[in-house]
């Protein structure tokens, strides 16, 4: 057996230093003595025949409907106007302005506690900005806008050209259709604003770098963003210096980042879907975030991350499905976070740890059928857990002799082999060779071989995500 393995080891490790070569050789000798424990272990192979390439979330299309073309009529207090602005100016606090038809104008709402709504849904009333400036500026508090189509803002990102600019606290935007805009909704220095059940679509003929964000939060504490659909913008939801925000049930695609946090603490992101973006959820320079029950699928652009955790501290990332991305989870200079109970399925790399990330709790996750389970460019070992529960690795050789659900042997998903392959992609041809396989087995089975990388002390024998195979068929969210 040794005679057969030595040439493979020699070829595989010819590009690394002599000391590492001797470690590899020693590993092969040790593997020969593995004996019965190796027989008792699972074979460590992934279910790679299935694929999530064709998986589609249950999201309605956002194709343009037919806008109304008849001249607009705005009604308030029994009086009719041919201008939204005139009707709003005539309204008193507590009044409702009902719109029907098409209005070619830009509107500023300066009366608090008014409602502006379409007569028969969003397709019955259109406010068209004519490609200039901000279409609707909500400058008063407690304004409600619902069942309207807002279209065609100016093109200037520096001027905050948006479908709706909201500076009025406690305002509500509901069931709106916002299209052909630079920014969809910009909420600036206003608290407790709600945006719900709305569709926001930017301009397809504008490059991504010149687009604005679907929903842009600038010092917008306490906002609630629920059940919106956002596409063809720069970032779907962008946070800047905004705290106490709940974003729930939103679907975001064809974007740079589905969600992008910057300098925004104490926020909750739950039950959202981000797919076909560069990055699904970009968590940056923030703390005390709760990111739970979200789905990131096929985010594989130039950056290609499902969930990016960069300069983020004291946060919880749990119960998310991270499927078919470039990197499933990318953890960069992050500290004291809990990354628990996530499904990480069929990504190019399941999880990458880098830039000094430390004190992370990584337990209860299922790493299934990823091209590479984990990668950590480090000269030391990263010990994710020394508790009673680790993670499930579909390529691990779990040895659960006492039937308690965890393996008696540790698993090193990112070790010497993964480092060689990452640094020298040409070595990938040896990834499944007996020599490389021997190194992996020894790293997990013999703690005396302390090669750099990630160590899971108590890998799970079975996946806690019984439904992970459902992702190989179209299913709903």
């Amino acid at each position: 057996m040794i005679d057969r393995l030595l040439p493979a080891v020699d070829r595989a490790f010819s590009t690394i230093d002599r000391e590492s070569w001797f470690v590899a050789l020693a590993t092969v000798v040790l593997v020969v003595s593995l004996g019965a424990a190796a027989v008792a272990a699972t074979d460590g192979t992934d279910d790679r025949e299935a694929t999530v390439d064709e998986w589609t979330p249950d999201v309605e299309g956002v194709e343009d409907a037919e806008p109304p073309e008849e001249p607009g009529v705005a009604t308030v207090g029994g009086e009719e106007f041919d201008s939204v602005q005139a009707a709003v100016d005539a309204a008193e606090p507590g009044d409702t302005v009902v719109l029907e038809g098409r209005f070619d104008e830009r509107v500023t709402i300066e009366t608090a506690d008014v409602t502006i709504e379409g007569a028969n849904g969003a397709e019955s009333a259109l406010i068209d900005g004519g490609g200039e400036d901000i279409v609707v500026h909500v400058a008063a508090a407690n304004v409600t806008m619902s069942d309207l189509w807002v279209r065609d803002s100016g093109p200037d990102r520096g001027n905050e050209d948006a479908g709706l600019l909201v500076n009025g606290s406690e305002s509500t935007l509901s069931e709106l259709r916002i299209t052909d805009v630079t920014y969809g909704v910009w909420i600036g220095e206003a608290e407790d604003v709600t945006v719900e059940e709305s569709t926001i679509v930017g301009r397809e003929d504008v490059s991504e770098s010149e687009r604005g964000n679907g929903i842009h939060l600038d010092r917008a504490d306490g906002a609630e963003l629920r059940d919106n659909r956002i596409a063809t913008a720069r970032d779907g939801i962008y946070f800047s210096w905004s705290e106490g925000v709940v974003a729930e049930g939103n679907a975001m695609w064809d974007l740079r980042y589905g969600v992008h946090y910057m300098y925004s603490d104490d926020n909750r992101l739950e039950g959202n879907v981000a797919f076909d973006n560069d990055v699904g959820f970009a968590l940056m320079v923030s703390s005390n975030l709760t990111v739970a029950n979200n789905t990131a699928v096929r985010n594989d652009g130039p950056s290609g991350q499902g969930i990016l955790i960069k300069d983020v501290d004291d946060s919880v990332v749990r119960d998310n499905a991270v499927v078919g991305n470039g990197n499933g989870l990318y953890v960069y200079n992050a500290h004291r976070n809990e990354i628990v109970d996530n499904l990480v399925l069929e990504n190019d790399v399941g999880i990458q740890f880098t830039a000094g990330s430390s004190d992370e709790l990584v337990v209860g996750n299922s790493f299934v059928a990823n091209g590479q389970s984990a990668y950590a460019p480090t000269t030391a070992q990263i010990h994710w857990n020394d508790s009673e529960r680790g993670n499930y690795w579909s390529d691990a050789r779990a040895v659960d002799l006492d039937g308690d659900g965890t393996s008696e042997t540790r698993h090193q998903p990112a070790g010497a082999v993964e480092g060689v392959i990452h640094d020298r992609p040409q070595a990938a041809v040896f990834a499944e060779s007996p020599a490389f396989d021997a190194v992996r087995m020894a790293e997990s089975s013999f703690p005396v071989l302390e090669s750099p990388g990630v160590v899971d002390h108590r890998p799970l024998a079975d996946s806690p995500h019984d439904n992970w195979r459902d992702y190989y068929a179209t299913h709903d969210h």
Side-chain angles (χ1 to χ4, degrees), residues 19-67:
E19 181 181 353
S20 298
W21 190 92
F22 280 119
V23 170
L25 180 58
T27 296
V28 175
V29 176
L30 287 169
V31 166
V32 175
S33 65
L34 196 57
V39 174
T42 60
D43 63 6
T45 58
D46 289 343
D47 181 2
R48 295 183 184 275
E49 295 182 2
T51 179
V52 296
D53 285 346
E54 303 304 318
W55 185 91
T56 0
D58 183 25
V59 175
E60 295 178 14
V62 293
E63 296 80 10
D64 277 353
E66 290 297 321

Side-chain angles (χ1 to χ4, degrees), residues 134 154-162 182-183 186 209-212:
I134 298 158
D156 190 350
R157 287 195 300 127
N159 193 46
E160 302 173 5
D161 286 353
T182 299
Y183 293 94
W186 181 301
S209 62
E210 295 301 316
R211 298 171 184 169

